[in-house]
Amino acid sequence: MKGQVIDFDSTVPIAFAKINYNNKTITSDWEGKFSIELKEDNKPIVFSYKGYFDKTYYQTVGAKFLLIKMITNNSLKNQEIYSENQVNLIIKKVIENKPLNQPEKALNTFEYKNYEHLLVSANPDSISGKIDTIYKKSLFGKRKITLDSINYKFKKLVEKQHIYQTEKVNLIQHNNDGTKETILASRMAGFKKPLYEYLGLNLVSYSLYENQLEILEIPIQNPISNYGRKMFVFKIIDTVKIQERTVYRIYFQPKKLNSNKLRGLLFVDAENFAIAKAFYRIYGIININATYTFNYRKDHKIWFPEKRKFVVVKGNNSEDLKILGGTIKFNSSLEELQKDASDRVYLKLESTPYDIKINQLVSFKTPSIKINVPENSMTKPDSYWKSIKKDTLDVRKIPTYTNLDSLSIAENIEQKIFLGKKIFNGYLPIGFVDLDLKSIVKYNNYEGFRLGIGGVTNNKLSEKYKISGFVGYGLKDDKLKYGITPSYLLNKETNTWLSASYSYDLYEIGQIQFATQAKRFKIYDPRPINISTFYSNKMASFFIETKYIPKTDIYFGLSRNEVQPLFNYNFYTKDNYYSNFNLATAQFAIEWKPFSGYMQTPSGRLEIEKRFPKFSLQLTKSFANVIGSDFDFTKIDFKITHEIPYLSGQNTSFILQSGFAFGAIPLTHLYSIAPNNLNRESLFKRITFAGKNSFETMFFNEFFSSKYVSFHVKHTFNKVKLAYKIKPLISVVTRMAWGTMDKPEQHIGLQYKTLDRGFFESGVEANQIFKGFGLTFFVRYGPNALPKFDDNFALKLSYVLDLGF
């Protein structure tokens, strides 16, 4: 009889559990699987493992597969288990010898080509072709019989082809400047030109020696990292031979018994303590299997990568999982297969190095650009792909390309994706112009409804020039707003644009806006709906935007501004009162993303791996007595954004932001740090839409600062199923801020407070409860809590639009 031993709570396999039967002892393998010969003597089978209660099983007539679920001993549940001294010393040697065994450190240079094949598929033999009968109740209570042929059709499909597939050949080069990847060829089923985002996808790390492994682009602590021995327990299983070299076979698992993190097998060379082979497994909402094999190069005395294999199947969750931007159903290999045939789907990636060259001359340009995609890599003929050596003949590969290419043409998929990306960024392409969807209808308390039109010319007109503009009319203030911005492309490779602009528009007072900040498309922007204090600004400017310095977005601009506050306010200096302001300013802004990965494509430079933290710095200087400017002041703004994603799907984010203003500076250009609460009597009268990273319990115009610092922390859990189709995304949030105001006597007309004692709020967000709508609830506390109890609470609506792109 065959079987498997697993943890009762997490369904994680229990490796090397002891199995006693008929005075003989065997052990399960590292996946908890075993095979045992039984006699008809009704003797018990006893399963045991440290930290678990013993499990006794008696033979069941007709049983074909034995699934043993062991229960953790509660007295040992949170205790750690430790490695034996012998294996501990071996792992210590592995860590100490990493500089001698890691190719990136041990070799001066190397270069190889790498064939990579990614597919989404299913094993047709695991799918029943049976057409099921389904009984459904009719309106009058009678049962109606229908036939369910979904599994039958699905089986016929995967017998002929894969569900989806892509291929690429890349050149990996390494020297003292780092490691560079160049795409030599690529093709995606259904697309004439591959999507650049796919080419930058890194599902699993190339190297096994880094302190953190990348699994589905999530950092995972490596068992052979500097901290590996503190987090994992190791056990020697036996010694084996690989390429006539003695190798230790070592199993590792987390020290905490109830943890379902990384587990696996390491094959460690007994002479040089290098990794000769490795199996890594992660069990959770998805089950991930990663296999690394290496080839021993006697000439260089090093184990060099031979093959990577990466498989993802569904784990212990009931939700559909999104991989590569699409919804794919996966099935756990631990439990009995579900009825739905699409639960048998898996994602598999295989990559195989060839044409390996070691310690030969290797040179490349711009090492800070991780991936380079030449134009000719996307148009390789079929003859090229036939010349690439494959490990096995895949009879389903060619039909996949043929059928999906036909489907793509018939359904116009490429055009739909192109259109979807445009809409996601807030534009609708119409001929030579991309219509700006944000400019059509807006609303705020000053303008009322604002109707308008705006857009920018696209590549159909020119790739070197573009002209953007807008016209808007406020029905309440009865005034026209407008703007035009012609731009010229100085350098396509670095996305460098030189622009001039002339505009007349409204701006929120005290707004904090970084010039390098991405302007994400929103169906609505909730904050301006409730704002009454704006200023008008007639502005002429020249500016340049570039990615010339790797891993940065840079902005530099010069502007002349005529500012008119649209509320009761005057600014006082020792020489004069000002009710409107003329400003001549220079602004420099930079966003630095040191941990992100970038790709150079024929259409420009793309950020393909969005890593954190990110740093933003902005300097603004106004010059007095220059082209009629009234004031001399300086502003320094700084922001750090950090996110920690988890394989479980949860996420923790942090924002640290500060601003400092010096000199004669009016209230319009100081800091209000994004309040978002209405100053009305009752909680329910204050209900409005929640903002993003705004203070939900802070009233509009309640606080102003010339210097401030704020901190936001947010943790988002997985979706919680409360009822049918009600699955909110729950987040807990805490925000705080401190600030001061220099020379408050200069600001006359608008009453406000300062943040010297600090501002604190915490809350819960339940987003996407139903049809994208959600609720948020925040409470205000600390020194600036209000005397009236219910004034400290804010209840808000939220809305998240999932465009599915």
Side-chain angles (χ1 to χ4, degrees):
M1 176 176 284
K2 293 182 178 181
Q4 188 177 29
V5 186
I6 64 173
D7 181 278
F8 181 87
D9 296 314
S10 66
T11 71
V12 172
I14 298 177
F16 307 108
K18 290 184 179 179
I19 304 168
N20 292 289
Y21 171 72
N22 199 22
N23 297 322
K24 291 183 179 180
T25 300
I26 62 172
T27 59
S28 62
D29 65 13
W30 81 283
E31 294 179 296
K33 296 178 181 179
F34 63 90
S35 178
I36 188 170
E37 185 177 345
L38 301 178
K39 300 179 180 179
E40 296 181 2
D41 53 11
N42 203 31
K43 289 184 177 180
I45 310 171
V46 181
F47 299 85
S48 60
Y49 192 80
K50 184 178 180 181
Y52 288 84
F53 290 108
D54 288 354
K55 177 83 171 184
T56 301
Y57 174 82
Y58 290 90
Q59 296 182 43
T60 301
V61 177
K64 296 180 180 179
F65 184 84
L66 201 55
L67 188 64
I68 301 298
K69 299 180 180 181
M70 298 187 68
I71 299 174
T72 309
N73 186 334
N74 289 329
S75 63
L76 301 174
K77 188 173 183 179
N78 294 315
Q79 293 186 16
E80 294 183 352
I81 51 180
Y82 297 92
S83 308
E84 298 172 353
N85 287 336
Q86 181 185 4
V87 72
N88 204 29
L89 292 173
I90 294 173
I91 297 301
K92 183 180 178 183
K93 289 276 190 181
V94 172
I95 296 170
E96 291 173 348
N97 283 273
K98 282 199 298 183
L100 302 176
N101 294 318
Q102 183 177 359
E104 289 82 359
K105 294 181 178 180
L107 302 174
N108 294 324
T109 66
F110 62 78
E111 176 181 293
Y112 63 87
K113 295 176 183 177
N114 184 68
Y115 169 73
E116 188 169 290
H117 181 214
L118 182 146
L119 61 85
V120 178
S121 192
N123 182 2
D125 294 336
S126 68
I127 303 168
S128 171
K130 180 182 177 182
I131 299 178
D132 297 323
T133 301
I134 299 176
Y135 297 90
K136 293 183 179 180
K137 287 187 178 181
S138 67
L139 181 64
F140 302 102
K142 295 181 180 180
R143 292 186 176 274
K144 180 182 178 181
I145 301 176
T146 60
L147 296 178
D148 180 10
S149 60
I150 293 177
N151 285 6
Y152 174 79
K153 292 178 180 178
F154 187 74
K155 180 181 178 69
K156 292 300 181 183
L157 172 69
V158 295
E159 283 178 342
K160 297 177 181 178
Q161 66 176 74
H162 299 301
I163 300 168
Y164 196 76
Q165 69 180 7
T166 65
E167 291 176 281
K168 71 176 179 181
V169 178
N170 48 359
L171 176 66
I172 307 296
Q173 296 173 292
H174 178 82
N175 61 20
N176 292 331
D177 294 326
T179 304
K180 178 95 172 196
E181 177 183 349
T182 302
I183 305 297
L184 301 179
S186 61
R187 62 176 177 176
M188 295 180 66
F191 294 87
K192 293 180 180 178
K193 290 187 177 181
L195 299 175
Y196 295 131
E197 291 81 357
Y198 155 70
L199 297 177
L201 190 67
N202 184 22
L203 294 179
V204 61
S205 294
Y206 277 93
S207 175
L208 272 187
Y209 289 94
E210 300 295 340
N211 282 334
Q212 286 189 327
L213 299 172
E214 294 281 338
I215 306 290
L216 291 179
E217 301 190 328
I218 304 294
I220 302 296
Q221 195 66 41
N222 193 341
I224 59 170
S225 68
N226 297 332
Y227 302 99
R229 290 192 299 157
K230 296 180 179 179
M231 300 177 64
F232 295 91
V233 60
F234 301 88
K235 179 180 180 180
I236 294 181
I237 306 305
D238 53 25
T239 58
V240 295
K241 289 284 187 178
I242 299 180
Q243 294 184 219
E244 299 180 355
R245 294 180 66 85
T246 301
V247 172
Y248 299 113
R249 194 162 66 108
I250 298 174
Y251 173 71
F252 68 87
Q253 70 179 53
K255 284 189 174 182
K256 294 287 183 71
L257 289 174
N258 60 339
S259 173
N260 62 349
K261 298 177 183 177
L262 187 67
R263 289 164 164 76
L265 279 177
L266 298 174
F267 294 75
V268 177
D269 190 307
E271 182 180 337
N272 61 11
F273 299 97
I275 303 298
K277 182 189 278 189
F279 297 96
Y280 283 10
R281 299 287 168 89
I282 294 176
Y283 301 96
I285 64 167
I286 52 176
N287 293 337
I288 300 170
N289 306 331
T291 303
Y292 289 81
T293 56
F294 299 83
N295 180 39
Y296 187 70
R297 304 291 296 254
K298 293 181 180 179
D299 48 346
H300 299 284
K301 296 182 179 180
I302 193 168
W303 290 90
F304 200 82
E306 183 180 52
K307 190 169 185 176
R308 291 183 307 152
K309 184 177 179 181
F310 179 74
V311 180
V312 182
V313 297
K314 190 172 182 178
N316 57 17
N317 69 316
S318 59
E319 300 294 325
D320 294 340
L321 305 174
K322 288 190 175 181
I323 301 291
L324 301 178
T327 301
I328 301 171
K329 294 180 180 179
F330 292 101
N331 172 73
S332 169
S333 61
L334 300 175
E335 301 287 353
E336 184 180 354
L337 293 175
Q338 303 298 314
K339 181 179 179 180
D340 189 351
S342 60
D343 277 346
R344 320 310 165 57
V345 174
Y346 60 84
L347 180 147
K348 182 171 73 172
L349 177 144
E350 291 187 2
S351 66
T352 307
Y354 66 99
D355 289 353
I356 300 169
K357 301 175 183 178
I358 295 177
N359 288 343
Q360 298 182 20
L361 180 63
V362 172
S363 62
F364 49 80
K365 298 179 181 179
T366 57
S368 57
I369 303 300
K370 184 175 180 180
I371 303 176
N372 183 44
V373 186
E375 181 76 41
N376 62 4
S377 67
M378 297 178 288
T379 56
K380 297 294 184 183
D382 290 340
S383 58
Y384 176 89
W385 294 102
K386 291 178 181 178
S387 68
I388 305 297
K389 183 180 179 181
K390 315 295 192 306
D391 289 343
T392 58
L393 180 63
D394 188 345
V395 296
R396 293 190 286 173
K397 179 179 289 185
I398 299 302
T400 304
Y401 281 117
T402 304
N403 295 335
L404 287 179
D405 285 347
S406 301
L407 176 64
S408 177
I409 294 172
E411 300 292 337
N412 205 13
I413 291 175
E414 284 191 272
Q415 179 61 27
K416 288 179 180 178
I417 290 179
F418 169 78
L419 178 63
K421 285 184 176 182
K422 289 280 188 178
I423 293 176
F424 184 76
N425 289 304
Y427 293 93
L428 177 65
I430 301 176
F432 298 104
V433 176
D434 292 346
L435 182 67
D436 186 355
L437 299 175
K438 301 184 293 294
S439 64
I440 298 174
V441 179
K442 296 182 180 180
Y443 181 87
N444 61 65
N445 279 341
Y446 185 82
E447 294 178 288
F449 280 102
R450 169 170 164 165
L451 307 179
I453 189 171
V456 59
T457 60
N458 54 42
N459 290 346
K460 288 184 178 181
L461 182 65
S462 173
E463 292 186 355
K464 298 288 290 185
Y465 303 91
K466 65 180 179 181
I467 300 175
S468 63
F470 71 92
V471 176
Y473 178 75
L475 299 182
K476 186 176 179 180
D477 69 336
D478 194 28
K479 286 188 177 181
L480 192 70
K481 291 84 182 175
Y482 51 84
I484 186 169
T485 305
S487 303
Y488 175 71
L489 182 62
L490 295 177
N491 188 294
K492 186 176 182 179
E493 182 177 334
T494 59
N495 295 76
T496 302
W497 288 88
L498 177 65
S499 305
S501 180
Y502 184 78
S503 65
Y504 171 75
D505 207 351
L506 302 187
Y507 295 86
E508 176 191 349
I509 67 168
Q511 188 177 25
I512 303 167
Q513 185 72 40
F514 286 82
T516 54
Q517 182 176 325
K519 298 174 178 60
R520 297 292 299 275
F521 171 52
K522 301 176 182 177
I523 291 294
Y524 70 97
D525 190 357
R527 295 192 67 257
I529 293 176
N530 304 302
I531 299 172
S532 301
T533 46
F534 291 90
Y535 65 90
S536 65
N537 185 15
K538 186 176 289 186
M539 178 174 64
S541 64
F542 293 91
F543 57 93
I544 187 170
E545 298 168 291
T546 183
K547 301 179 186 292
Y548 180 78
I549 300 176
K551 302 194 175 187
T552 64
D553 292 319
I554 297 174
Y555 170 95
F556 178 73
L558 301 171
S559 66
R560 171 67 164 80
N561 305 267
E562 297 178 12
V563 176
Q564 174 66 56
L566 301 175
F567 55 97
N568 180 28
Y569 174 73
N570 289 281
F571 182 63
Y572 168 74
T573 68
K574 63 181 180 179
D575 299 320
N576 206 346
Y577 280 91
Y578 296 89
S579 59
N580 53 65
F581 328 116
N582 295 321
L583 305 174
T585 63
Q587 188 174 73
F588 172 79
I590 181 170
E591 184 176 27
W592 181 40
K593 308 166 187 175
F595 304 102
S596 290
Y598 284 82
M599 173 190 291
Q600 190 67 53
T601 74
S603 61
R605 192 169 296 174
L606 299 177
E607 183 185 4
I608 53 169
E609 294 178 350
K610 296 183 179 181
R611 298 286 189 262
F612 295 90
K614 298 180 179 181
F615 305 88
S616 297
L617 175 66
Q618 183 165 279
L619 307 175
T620 306
K621 176 66 178 176
S622 178
F623 301 92
N625 303 317
V626 175
I627 54 176
S629 178
D630 297 322
F631 309 120
D632 187 294
F633 64 79
T634 302
K635 290 178 68 177
I636 303 172
D637 298 295
F638 181 70
K639 180 169 66 173
I640 301 175
T641 306
H642 187 48
E643 288 189 12
I644 303 174
Y646 307 98
L647 268 177
S648 63
Q650 300 184 43
N651 180 284
T652 303
S653 62
F654 307 89
I655 299 175
L656 176 65
Q657 187 168 310
S658 64
F660 302 87
F662 310 92
I665 178 168
L667 196 68
T668 52
H669 289 63
L670 290 178
Y671 306 109
S672 66
I673 63 169
N676 193 35
N677 201 15
L678 298 173
N679 194 357
R680 294 178 181 171
E681 293 180 1
S682 68
L683 174 64
F684 291 102
K685 288 183 179 180
R686 296 194 296 268
I687 292 178
T688 181
F689 279 98
K692 183 179 181 182
N693 302 322
S694 56
F695 285 83
E696 302 298 338
T697 61
M698 184 185 293
F699 298 120
F700 289 105
N701 302 328
E702 184 180 3
F703 298 95
F704 281 91
S705 306
S706 57
K707 300 179 182 67
Y708 83 95
V709 59
S710 66
F711 181 69
H712 305 243
V713 59
K714 177 178 181 178
H715 183 82
T716 302
F717 299 92
N718 293 318
K719 286 188 175 183
V720 179
K721 187 174 183 179
L722 300 180
Y724 178 66
K725 290 189 177 181
I726 299 180
K727 303 171 185 177
L729 195 64
I730 306 294
S731 301
V732 291
V733 186
T734 292
R735 301 186 178 108
M736 57 194 74
W738 294 265
T740 61
M741 175 63 80
D742 295 336
K743 300 180 180 179
E745 67 278 3
Q746 291 184 319
H747 310 290
I748 301 172
L750 189 67
Q751 300 299 314
Y752 63 88
K753 297 185 289 187
T754 61
L755 287 167
D756 301 79
R757 297 185 301 161
F759 186 93
F760 304 87
E761 72 173 23
S762 296
V764 177
E765 298 179 354
N767 295 311
Q768 303 178 55
I769 296 176
F770 185 73
K771 300 292 185 180
F773 285 95
L775 287 174
T776 70
F777 179 78
F778 280 83
V779 60
R780 169 175 175 167
Y781 54 91
N784 273 299
L786 299 173
K788 189 177 177 182
F789 181 74
D790 63 353
D791 284 348
N792 296 294
F793 297 95
L795 181 65
K796 303 290 179 71
L797 299 173
S798 67
Y799 184 74
V800 176
L801 176 66
D802 186 1
L803 294 174
F805 303 118

